Amino acid sequence: MNNKMLASVLIAIVVLIIAVPLITMKGADFEGSDGAGSEAVEDIVEGYEPWATPVLELLIGGELPGEMESLMFCIQTGIGVGIIAYSFGYLAARKKFSPIPEAKQA
Amino acid sequence: MSFSMKEKKAVAIVAAIAITLLIQPTANAMHIMEGYLPLGYCIAWSAASAPFLVAGIIKIRKLISEKASLLIILAMSGAFVFVISSLKIPSLTGSCSHMTGTGLAAILFGPFEATALGFIVLVFQAILLAHGGLTSLGANTFSMGIAGPVFTWLLYAMLKKARAPRKTNIFIAASLGDLFTYIVTAMQLALAYPSESGGVMASFVKFLGVFAPTQVPLAVVEGILTVLIIMGLESFASAELEEAAL
């Protein structure tokens, strides 16, 4: 299997893994993050009260609204994707315009 | 067009994973949340993480001065953690969780560099996203930035010695490292909250039941994404990969 085919198959598997639960688990709310681990703690230690509050929640005096949380997560993704895309662009151009094919850059 | 043996196998494996996971009830989590780890444990895990973090910073500084050409793939490894740990992926348990992304840095550079990169992301999330927490930063750094990467790194080295095909090796090392991160998180919570009846082990099983089923398919995704990005690097940055002694 060549690289392009392998990459396509792998991407398809990733999409499948993500899409299947969404389609098969009708009505599931795919609740994010924070809940379950903390709930399990409260299960074991009855009436557990967290002893610290996230700085951001102190700052805005409450929980971060869902949409704002999405925004922050998007910023995080965006920073990462930006750096990766820039780097791959740089590397691809370097390969393309390099006088000697596969020049050793080191 | 028909499937080759390899492709058939790949489909069969994914299907098997999917089916085994259909049975689980909801539950999930990612990092230990702010205020959910007793102070003593916060300090202990921070102390345990500190040497790794310092070693990571020293190694990165050395990298910058001695092997500056590798900076670009180090930046990409860091960015990979940013992307991967920001994506909440739905799982067959009906809840969602995210991946760690630190396996890539562990494979390309080593566990210490991965600690430093993971730490940056955890600070970002703890402060700006109220996700994870500053008090649990040490514990989360230990699970996502140390335990997972060390596991990935060791596994990768072992499989490399055993002459496993590189892509298979990367997939196995990265996905099991992701899973191991959550096993360690479960252990951290269990140590802090032993159940009254069954002690630490009973709690461990309980927390593991919360994390593991959601995380298994995500670990597969993390393994695949790590393979994909290294495939990309193989085509465009083979010189750097050679220098990083992959």
Side-chain angles (χ1 to χ4, degrees):
Chain A
M1 192 166 8
N2 68 28
N3 258 5
K4 260 181 197 158
M5 255 181 76
L6 178 65
S8 318
V9 170
L10 289 178
I11 290 170
I13 293 173
V14 169
V15 171
L16 211 68
I17 291 177
I18 298 171
V20 164
L22 214 54
I23 295 164
T24 55
M25 305 281 296
K26 295 214 160 50
D29 48 9
F30 294 108
E31 228 171 63
S33 64
D34 337 358
S38 312
E39 270 167 36
V41 170
E42 280 152 24
D43 257 14
I44 293 171
V45 186
E46 251 176 75
Y48 185 86
E49 283 289 325
W51 60 276
T53 319
V55 270
L56 190 67
E57 288 181 8
L58 287 178
L59 204 68
I60 61 174
E63 272 190 27
L64 190 62
E67 297 296 333
M68 294 304 108
E69 200 187 349
S70 302
L71 171 70
M72 300 310 271
F73 270 105
C74 284
I75 292 174
Q76 193 190 329
T77 320
I79 293 172
V81 169
I83 294 171
I84 290 177
Y86 171 85
S87 304
F88 265 126
Y90 171 86
L91 292 171
R94 184 185 72 181
K95 187 178 177 186
K96 189 173 176 190
F97 298 113
S98 159
I100 319 141
E102 280 296 291
K104 288 261 180 315
Q105 301 289 323
Chain B
M1 194 193 101
S2 64
F3 287 109
S4 75
M5 257 328 270
K6 255 189 186 166
E7 289 160 338
K8 271 184 195 159
K9 254 188 215 162
V11 173
I13 290 168
V14 176
I17 292 167
I19 290 163
T20 45
L21 287 167
L22 266 168
I23 348 160
Q24 293 300 329
T26 47
N28 78 94
M30 308 169 177
H31 309 310
I32 299 175
M33 298 308 294
E34 190 83 276
Y36 271 92
L37 204 60
L39 184 62
Y41 287 90
C42 295
I43 295 170
W45 287 114
S46 302
S49 299
F52 287 84
L53 184 61
V54 171
I57 293 167
I58 291 170
K59 289 202 77 174
I60 288 177
R61 287 188 59 163
K62 258 200 188 142
L63 191 84
I64 293 170
S65 60
E66 288 168 16
K67 289 183 177 178
S69 62
L70 290 187
L71 215 55
I72 188 160
I73 56 174
L74 181 75
M76 290 169 89
S77 310
F80 187 68
V81 184
F82 258 78
V83 177
I84 289 291
S85 67
S86 71
L87 300 175
K88 294 189 197 177
I89 312 280
S91 186
L92 284 163
T93 53
S95 57
C96 66
S97 179
H98 66 71
M99 301 165 279
T100 66
T102 44
L104 179 67
I107 290 171
L108 290 177
F109 296 98
F112 299 119
E113 286 86 341
T115 307
L117 297 176
F119 181 77
I120 295 170
V121 174
L122 285 168
V123 170
F124 182 96
Q125 293 191 328
I127 295 177
L128 294 177
L129 278 83
H131 183 69
L134 290 174
T135 55
S136 47
L137 190 58
N140 289 331
T141 303
F142 193 87
S143 63
M144 179 173 137
I146 297 170
V150 166
F151 193 78
T152 298
W153 178 70
L154 283 176
L155 204 59
Y156 181 77
M158 270 167 50
L159 289 170
K160 195 179 171 189
K161 239 185 187 167
R163 297 178 186 282
R166 193 204 258 178
K167 289 184 192 103
T168 317
N169 183 356
I170 292 165
F171 172 76
I172 293 172
S175 41
L176 291 186
D178 173 289
L179 261 190
F180 190 66
T181 292
Y182 287 84
I183 292 173
V184 170
T185 304
M187 198 47 165
Q188 288 172 325
L189 283 168
L191 284 171
Y193 300 105
S195 97
E196 260 174 43
S197 46
V200 172
M201 267 330 277
S203 277
F204 178 58
V205 171
K206 182 181 171 73
F207 283 116
L208 206 57
V210 169
F211 297 128
T214 305
Q215 201 61 30
V216 171
L218 299 204
V220 174
V221 173
E222 168 146 14
I224 291 176
L225 293 179
T226 308
V227 170
L228 282 173
I229 198 145
I230 290 184
M231 280 168 64
L233 290 175
E234 277 172 346
S235 349
F236 297 118
S238 50
E240 279 83 358
L241 286 191
E242 229 166 84
E243 210 188 339
L246 185 66

